Amino acid sequence: MLAALAVARQEGASVPALHDAVRRFLGVKRRQELLGIASGIRVVTDFAHHPTAVRLTTTAIRRRFPNGRMYVCFEPRSASSRRAVFSDGYAESFAAASRVHVGPLFRPEKIPPDQRLDPQALAKAINAHGIEALAHADVDDLAQSVLAEAAPGDTILLLTSGSFGGLGDKILKALGDAVMFATPEDLPSVHALCASYGLAPTIPGDTTETLIIREPEGAVVGCVSLRMVGPQALLFNLAIDRERRGEGLGWMLADGILRRARMLGVQQVYLVTTDATDFFAGKLGATPASVEEIDPQIRRDPNFVLGDRAVCMKIDPSYKRG
């Protein structure tokens, strides 16, 4: 990050612009990446594949999410992690976990038998250090074991240098109605959902983030977007599939996007609504706002539409939502 800032300054980028870019940076894929939240359970993944990385990553995630239990799912996948030489180091690296689930060795035939890590032996060694651990013969068995244990407020941390047999998707689908970041492939479904309510399409960009809810079958049944302009942001296109309304999905999305806004340092979130004033006020602490106090860039946004019955409101992201 520091090197990137130095190069950008050399090329003429302003300090305020760099500050804003750092604030909005989503991070690197598979580096403490939040895959989604479902049933109040966070699913996070990280590349950590050697003992030092495992120890530092599990400790960092525990500090980030201090409440609830943390279930660590470890896949020996990389060339180094599949070797027995690291067994002792791994045994001492999971101290921050509530329980460890060791997955099957990835392509064990690539490692000579006398050098191969033994997942069963590793689980026993982790247990010997005071942390409950189980070894699993396949990913489906691991997923079912974790799903039987996790509860709202818990964190499931996947440590793998690859796909882990699709474990993240398996867990989120099983939990149902996962809130996650939209991908470019999701945008057509998001646009269709918004269009069904007569809303302008969400225009992707560096200052825009969209959260969605997917059904286990993969259909997008809810969305909400946030566009940031300095310390202000516009919340827009909160839409729920009509067949799923009344199930609390709107609350889940709004709460998620406001938590994200708080993490990004946004000080004030604005929105325009026609028939959801009570929802935004009662559930999210929204209060009436004057259009004049809103950044002109937000007022010019195509998703900032003040109709005849429209009400402009603002939300403090740090407000304790009830």
mmCIF file of all heavy atoms in Angstrom, residues 121-151:
data_model
loop_
_atom_site.group_PDB
_atom_site.id
_atom_site.type_symbol
_atom_site.label_atom_id
_atom_site.label_comp_id
_atom_site.label_asym_id
_atom_site.label_seq_id
_atom_site.Cartn_x
_atom_site.Cartn_y
_atom_site.Cartn_z
ATOM 1 N N ALA A 121 -3.087 -36.975 12.137
ATOM 2 C CA ALA A 121 -2.045 -36.715 13.144
ATOM 3 C C ALA A 121 -2.006 -35.239 13.510
ATOM 4 O O ALA A 121 -1.781 -34.886 14.679
ATOM 5 C CB ALA A 121 -0.690 -37.174 12.604
ATOM 6 N N LEU A 122 -2.229 -34.373 12.517
ATOM 7 C CA LEU A 122 -2.240 -32.938 12.792
ATOM 8 C C LEU A 122 -3.386 -32.586 13.735
ATOM 9 O O LEU A 122 -3.209 -31.809 14.679
ATOM 10 C CB LEU A 122 -2.359 -32.149 11.487
ATOM 11 C CG LEU A 122 -2.498 -30.627 11.645
ATOM 12 C CD1 LEU A 122 -1.307 -30.042 12.396
ATOM 13 C CD2 LEU A 122 -2.638 -29.959 10.272
ATOM 14 N N ALA A 123 -4.573 -33.132 13.485
ATOM 15 C CA ALA A 123 -5.712 -32.849 14.362
ATOM 16 C C ALA A 123 -5.403 -33.276 15.798
ATOM 17 O O ALA A 123 -5.721 -32.562 16.762
ATOM 18 C CB ALA A 123 -6.957 -33.555 13.837
ATOM 19 N N LYS A 124 -4.781 -34.425 15.962
ATOM 20 C CA LYS A 124 -4.425 -34.895 17.297
ATOM 21 C C LYS A 124 -3.411 -33.955 17.961
ATOM 22 O O LYS A 124 -3.490 -33.673 19.163
ATOM 23 C CB LYS A 124 -3.851 -36.305 17.214
ATOM 24 C CG LYS A 124 -4.888 -37.364 16.851
ATOM 25 C CD LYS A 124 -4.242 -38.754 16.789
ATOM 26 C CE LYS A 124 -5.277 -39.814 16.420
ATOM 27 N NZ LYS A 124 -4.674 -41.165 16.320
ATOM 28 N N ALA A 125 -2.462 -33.465 17.171
ATOM 29 C CA ALA A 125 -1.445 -32.556 17.715
ATOM 30 C C ALA A 125 -2.062 -31.231 18.139
ATOM 31 O O ALA A 125 -1.684 -30.656 19.166
ATOM 32 C CB ALA A 125 -0.352 -32.328 16.678
ATOM 33 N N ILE A 126 -3.029 -30.725 17.351
ATOM 34 C CA ILE A 126 -3.715 -29.480 17.711
ATOM 35 C C ILE A 126 -4.511 -29.688 18.989
ATOM 36 O O ILE A 126 -4.524 -28.828 19.884
ATOM 37 C CB ILE A 126 -4.633 -29.015 16.562
ATOM 38 C CG1 ILE A 126 -3.800 -28.672 15.326
ATOM 39 C CG2 ILE A 126 -5.458 -27.802 16.989
ATOM 40 C CD1 ILE A 126 -4.628 -28.406 14.070
ATOM 41 N N ASN A 127 -5.178 -30.849 19.111
ATOM 42 C CA ASN A 127 -5.908 -31.177 20.339
ATOM 43 C C ASN A 127 -4.979 -31.195 21.544
ATOM 44 O O ASN A 127 -5.343 -30.764 22.643
ATOM 45 C CB ASN A 127 -6.587 -32.546 20.191
ATOM 46 C CG ASN A 127 -7.985 -32.444 19.619
ATOM 47 O OD1 ASN A 127 -8.864 -31.863 20.224
ATOM 48 N ND2 ASN A 127 -8.179 -33.000 18.423
ATOM 49 N N ALA A 128 -3.762 -31.698 21.338
ATOM 50 C CA ALA A 128 -2.795 -31.780 22.430
ATOM 51 C C ALA A 128 -2.392 -30.403 22.935
ATOM 52 O O ALA A 128 -1.930 -30.264 24.080
ATOM 53 C CB ALA A 128 -1.561 -32.552 21.966
ATOM 54 N N HIS A 129 -2.589 -29.376 22.079
ATOM 55 C CA HIS A 129 -2.279 -27.998 22.483
ATOM 56 C C HIS A 129 -3.504 -27.267 23.033
ATOM 57 O O HIS A 129 -3.483 -26.042 23.215
ATOM 58 C CB HIS A 129 -1.707 -27.211 21.295
ATOM 59 C CG HIS A 129 -0.270 -27.517 21.027
ATOM 60 N ND1 HIS A 129 0.151 -28.639 20.334
ATOM 61 C CD2 HIS A 129 0.876 -26.849 21.363
ATOM 62 C CE1 HIS A 129 1.472 -28.644 20.250
ATOM 63 N NE2 HIS A 129 1.942 -27.575 20.872
ATOM 64 N N GLY A 130 -4.562 -28.015 23.311
ATOM 65 C CA GLY A 130 -5.717 -27.437 23.988
ATOM 66 C C GLY A 130 -6.808 -26.883 23.094
ATOM 67 O O GLY A 130 -7.758 -26.272 23.599
ATOM 68 N N ILE A 131 -6.704 -27.068 21.772
ATOM 69 C CA ILE A 131 -7.727 -26.590 20.844
ATOM 70 C C ILE A 131 -8.403 -27.790 20.197
ATOM 71 O O ILE A 131 -7.731 -28.657 19.634
ATOM 72 C CB ILE A 131 -7.109 -25.688 19.747
ATOM 73 C CG1 ILE A 131 -6.355 -24.518 20.364
ATOM 74 C CG2 ILE A 131 -8.201 -25.193 18.799
ATOM 75 C CD1 ILE A 131 -7.213 -23.572 21.183
ATOM 76 N N GLU A 132 -9.725 -27.843 20.296
ATOM 77 C CA GLU A 132 -10.445 -28.960 19.693
ATOM 78 C C GLU A 132 -10.208 -28.996 18.189
ATOM 79 O O GLU A 132 -10.293 -27.963 17.513
ATOM 80 C CB GLU A 132 -11.946 -28.839 19.963
ATOM 81 C CG GLU A 132 -12.340 -28.967 21.420
ATOM 82 C CD GLU A 132 -13.841 -28.880 21.591
ATOM 83 O OE1 GLU A 132 -14.577 -29.619 20.898
ATOM 84 O OE2 GLU A 132 -14.280 -28.059 22.408
ATOM 85 N N ALA A 133 -9.930 -30.161 17.643
ATOM 86 C CA ALA A 133 -9.663 -30.293 16.210
ATOM 87 C C ALA A 133 -10.175 -31.631 15.704
ATOM 88 O O ALA A 133 -10.118 -32.647 16.415
ATOM 89 C CB ALA A 133 -8.172 -30.154 15.922
ATOM 90 N N LEU A 134 -10.673 -31.614 14.464
ATOM 91 C CA LEU A 134 -11.160 -32.814 13.797
ATOM 92 C C LEU A 134 -10.578 -32.870 12.397
ATOM 93 O O LEU A 134 -10.430 -31.829 11.737
ATOM 94 C CB LEU A 134 -12.694 -32.804 13.706
ATOM 95 C CG LEU A 134 -13.490 -32.831 15.008
ATOM 96 C CD1 LEU A 134 -14.963 -32.580 14.711
ATOM 97 C CD2 LEU A 134 -13.302 -34.162 15.720
ATOM 98 N N ALA A 135 -10.261 -34.044 11.930
ATOM 99 C CA ALA A 135 -9.807 -34.240 10.547
ATOM 100 C C ALA A 135 -10.951 -34.876 9.765
ATOM 101 O O ALA A 135 -11.675 -35.737 10.284
ATOM 102 C CB ALA A 135 -8.571 -35.125 10.503
ATOM 103 N N HIS A 136 -11.117 -34.450 8.525
ATOM 104 C CA HIS A 136 -12.233 -34.911 7.709
ATOM 105 C C HIS A 136 -11.726 -35.543 6.417
ATOM 106 O O HIS A 136 -10.789 -35.026 5.786
ATOM 107 C CB HIS A 136 -13.167 -33.749 7.383
ATOM 108 C CG HIS A 136 -13.750 -33.098 8.594
ATOM 109 N ND1 HIS A 136 -14.939 -33.495 9.165
ATOM 110 C CD2 HIS A 136 -13.273 -32.072 9.365
ATOM 111 C CE1 HIS A 136 -15.191 -32.744 10.220
ATOM 112 N NE2 HIS A 136 -14.198 -31.868 10.370
ATOM 113 N N ALA A 137 -12.394 -36.624 6.022
ATOM 114 C CA ALA A 137 -11.982 -37.339 4.816
ATOM 115 C C ALA A 137 -12.405 -36.631 3.545
ATOM 116 O O ALA A 137 -11.799 -36.824 2.494
ATOM 117 C CB ALA A 137 -12.544 -38.762 4.837
ATOM 118 N N ASP A 138 -13.472 -35.805 3.628
ATOM 119 C CA ASP A 138 -13.913 -35.073 2.439
ATOM 120 C C ASP A 138 -14.540 -33.744 2.847
ATOM 121 O O ASP A 138 -14.888 -33.528 4.019
ATOM 122 C CB ASP A 138 -14.906 -35.897 1.603
ATOM 123 C CG ASP A 138 -16.144 -36.288 2.383
ATOM 124 O OD1 ASP A 138 -16.944 -35.394 2.721
ATOM 125 O OD2 ASP A 138 -16.306 -37.488 2.665
ATOM 126 N N VAL A 139 -14.687 -32.853 1.857
ATOM 127 C CA VAL A 139 -15.152 -31.495 2.118
ATOM 128 C C VAL A 139 -16.611 -31.481 2.551
ATOM 129 O O VAL A 139 -17.002 -30.682 3.412
ATOM 130 C CB VAL A 139 -14.939 -30.618 0.863
ATOM 131 C CG1 VAL A 139 -15.576 -29.240 1.045
ATOM 132 C CG2 VAL A 139 -13.445 -30.464 0.577
ATOM 133 N N ASP A 140 -17.446 -32.327 1.984
ATOM 134 C CA ASP A 140 -18.859 -32.353 2.361
ATOM 135 C C ASP A 140 -19.034 -32.706 3.833
ATOM 136 O O ASP A 140 -19.868 -32.103 4.531
ATOM 137 C CB ASP A 140 -19.618 -33.357 1.487
ATOM 138 C CG ASP A 140 -19.819 -32.862 0.066
ATOM 139 O OD1 ASP A 140 -19.731 -31.635 -0.144
ATOM 140 O OD2 ASP A 140 -20.046 -33.682 -0.831
ATOM 141 N N ASP A 141 -18.252 -33.658 4.313
ATOM 142 C CA ASP A 141 -18.319 -34.033 5.725
ATOM 143 C C ASP A 141 -17.876 -32.871 6.602
ATOM 144 O O ASP A 141 -18.485 -32.595 7.644
ATOM 145 C CB ASP A 141 -17.432 -35.256 5.982
ATOM 146 C CG ASP A 141 -17.423 -35.648 7.456
ATOM 147 O OD1 ASP A 141 -18.468 -36.082 7.956
ATOM 148 O OD2 ASP A 141 -16.363 -35.488 8.087
ATOM 149 N N LEU A 142 -16.831 -32.165 6.178
ATOM 150 C CA LEU A 142 -16.348 -30.998 6.922
ATOM 151 C C LEU A 142 -17.435 -29.931 6.989
ATOM 152 O O LEU A 142 -17.705 -29.361 8.052
ATOM 153 C CB LEU A 142 -15.075 -30.449 6.260
ATOM 154 C CG LEU A 142 -14.266 -29.399 7.023
ATOM 155 C CD1 LEU A 142 -12.835 -29.346 6.485
ATOM 156 C CD2 LEU A 142 -14.884 -28.011 6.935
ATOM 157 N N ALA A 143 -18.063 -29.649 5.849
ATOM 158 C CA ALA A 143 -19.106 -28.621 5.797
ATOM 159 C C ALA A 143 -20.247 -28.950 6.746
ATOM 160 O O ALA A 143 -20.723 -28.083 7.504
ATOM 161 C CB ALA A 143 -19.627 -28.471 4.369
ATOM 162 N N GLN A 144 -20.705 -30.191 6.738
ATOM 163 C CA GLN A 144 -21.806 -30.587 7.601
ATOM 164 C C GLN A 144 -21.437 -30.460 9.072
ATOM 165 O O GLN A 144 -22.256 -30.064 9.907
ATOM 166 C CB GLN A 144 -22.225 -32.026 7.279
ATOM 167 C CG GLN A 144 -22.899 -32.182 5.928
ATOM 168 C CD GLN A 144 -24.108 -31.273 5.776
ATOM 169 O OE1 GLN A 144 -24.956 -31.189 6.666
ATOM 170 N NE2 GLN A 144 -24.185 -30.577 4.651
ATOM 171 N N SER A 145 -20.203 -30.769 9.401
ATOM 172 C CA SER A 145 -19.752 -30.676 10.788
ATOM 173 C C SER A 145 -19.750 -29.227 11.260
ATOM 174 O O SER A 145 -20.225 -28.914 12.361
ATOM 175 C CB SER A 145 -18.352 -31.287 10.918
ATOM 176 O OG SER A 145 -17.921 -31.247 12.255
ATOM 177 N N VAL A 146 -19.234 -28.325 10.430
ATOM 178 C CA VAL A 146 -19.194 -26.907 10.797
ATOM 179 C C VAL A 146 -20.603 -26.335 10.889
ATOM 180 O O VAL A 146 -20.930 -25.573 11.805
ATOM 181 C CB VAL A 146 -18.347 -26.114 9.780
ATOM 182 C CG1 VAL A 146 -18.419 -24.620 10.074
ATOM 183 C CG2 VAL A 146 -16.893 -26.573 9.832
ATOM 184 N N LEU A 147 -21.451 -26.675 9.934
ATOM 185 C CA LEU A 147 -22.819 -26.169 9.931
ATOM 186 C C LEU A 147 -23.594 -26.619 11.171
ATOM 187 O O LEU A 147 -24.467 -25.896 11.665
ATOM 188 C CB LEU A 147 -23.545 -26.632 8.670
ATOM 189 C CG LEU A 147 -23.113 -25.946 7.367
ATOM 190 C CD1 LEU A 147 -23.625 -26.710 6.154
ATOM 191 C CD2 LEU A 147 -23.629 -24.500 7.342
ATOM 192 N N ALA A 148 -23.273 -27.798 11.676
ATOM 193 C CA ALA A 148 -23.955 -28.292 12.868
ATOM 194 C C ALA A 148 -23.529 -27.543 14.121
ATOM 195 O O ALA A 148 -24.240 -27.556 15.137
ATOM 196 C CB ALA A 148 -23.676 -29.791 13.039
ATOM 197 N N GLU A 149 -22.382 -26.868 14.063
ATOM 198 C CA GLU A 149 -21.837 -26.199 15.247
ATOM 199 C C GLU A 149 -22.082 -24.695 15.254
ATOM 200 O O GLU A 149 -22.351 -24.106 16.311
ATOM 201 C CB GLU A 149 -20.323 -26.433 15.317
ATOM 202 C CG GLU A 149 -19.910 -27.879 15.425
ATOM 203 C CD GLU A 149 -18.432 -28.081 15.164
ATOM 204 O OE1 GLU A 149 -17.765 -27.144 14.661
ATOM 205 O OE2 GLU A 149 -17.940 -29.175 15.468
ATOM 206 N N ALA A 150 -21.952 -24.043 14.103
ATOM 207 C CA ALA A 150 -21.954 -22.576 14.043
ATOM 208 C C ALA A 150 -23.317 -21.995 14.394
ATOM 209 O O ALA A 150 -24.361 -22.573 14.086
ATOM 210 C CB ALA A 150 -21.521 -22.118 12.655
ATOM 211 N N ALA A 151 -23.297 -20.833 15.028
ATOM 212 C CA ALA A 151 -24.513 -20.137 15.444
ATOM 213 C C ALA A 151 -24.351 -18.648 15.149
ATOM 214 O O ALA A 151 -23.238 -18.174 14.894
ATOM 215 C CB ALA A 151 -24.763 -20.373 16.933
#
